[in-house]
Amino acid sequence: QVRLVESGGGLGQPGGSLTLSCAASGTSVSINVMSWYRQAPGKERELVASATKYGTMRYADAVKGRFTLSRANAKNTVDLQMNSLKPEDTAVYYCNAVIVPAYSAGTSTYWGQGTQVTVSS
């Protein structure tokens, strides 16, 4: 019963900033990877940024230097600070969590419902 709740979406101005937040609940085990994905109309869902529980960060080329991922393991939250917004950032953004049990080959993947981000003047 893992639930991911996203917040912070909305309308942003080109060149402006928005911050997305994701809070995970319903699990007492550590989340191996927390990520933000996005899907624009007519396009496939793509990885925006991800953070492992050890602090390793990855960013899509399209957002490098503009977006910053912050993860707080103790709170099971991950924030995406989006700066220098561009119209092409417009998409539904989804929080993602992957749990890999320490002594199991299996994995569990969870998705939030998504939050709309629209960048327009």
Side-chain angles (χ1 to χ4, degrees):
Q1 191 182 359
V2 177
R3 184 187 180 194
L4 304 179
V5 179
E6 303 117 327
S7 62
L11 178 64
Q13 297 281 330
S17 300
L18 285 173
T19 299
L20 304 182
S21 298
C22 175
S25 62
T27 180
S28 60
V29 301
S30 63
I31 300 174
N32 294 75
V33 184
M34 296 192 73
S35 307
W36 281 99
Y37 287 74
R38 69 184 182 186
Q39 186 168 22
K43 296 184 178 181
E44 296 183 350
R45 187 172 300 184
E46 64 177 355
L47 175 68
V48 177
S50 65
T52 71
K53 63 181 180 180
Y54 304 108
T56 301
M57 305 288 185
R58 294 189 65 187
Y59 295 92
D61 289 340
V63 306
K64 286 182 179 178
R66 299 189 299 117
F67 292 7
T68 301
L69 195 66
S70 299
R71 177 172 176 174
N73 292 339
K75 297 182 178 180
N76 278 334
T77 60
V78 59
D79 295 342
L80 184 68
Q81 177 66 52
M82 304 185 295
N83 299 320
S84 301
L85 288 169
K86 302 177 180 179
E88 51 262 44
D89 294 323
T90 297
V92 177
Y93 285 70
Y94 298 90
C95 184
N96 169 271
V98 175
I99 297 176
V100 181
Y103 303 103
S104 175
T107 63
S108 297
T109 302
Y110 304 91
W111 293 93
Q113 291 185 325
T115 183
Q116 176 70 48
V117 171
T118 302
V119 182
S120 176
S121 60

